[in-house]
Amino acid sequence: MGSSSSKGVGVVETAAATTASNAAAAGGDKPKCKACCACPETKRARDQCIVENGEENCTKLIEAHKQCMRDAGFNI
């Protein structure tokens, strides 16, 4: 009984590791920082525009931030 639950944990850990490696492979380079710290310039401009003008009026800044995140290695 105890051994079956430790096998389940191993499967979950392996699946998580596989998912992480597949994400890195799909996006090319592995991100060098956390998503919250990537692209601060485009993030700041996007967020300010959304607050002041609404999301529907900031599509260019939103797409620019998404592209910056992709260039940094994130799968967005």
Side-chain angles (χ1 to χ4, degrees):
M1 194 163 161
S3 63
S4 65
S5 48
S6 49
K7 285 182 184 177
V9 171
V11 171
V12 171
E13 290 172 353
T14 303
T18 303
T19 303
S21 64
N22 287 345
D29 296 332
K30 183 178 178 183
K32 296 177 182 165
C33 62
K34 294 181 181 180
C36 62
C37 301
C39 304
E41 300 85 15
T42 58
K43 182 179 180 180
R44 189 175 306 113
R46 176 206 66 183
D47 291 349
Q48 183 176 357
C49 181
I50 291 171
V51 168
E52 293 175 0
N53 305 310
E55 185 176 344
E56 61 279 354
N57 298 314
C58 301
T59 54
K60 288 183 182 180
L61 291 172
I62 292 169
E63 290 304 317
H65 182 61
K66 285 182 183 178
Q67 187 59 50
C68 181
M69 296 290 284
R70 288 183 194 107
D71 293 345
F74 292 94
N75 187 17
I76 305 247

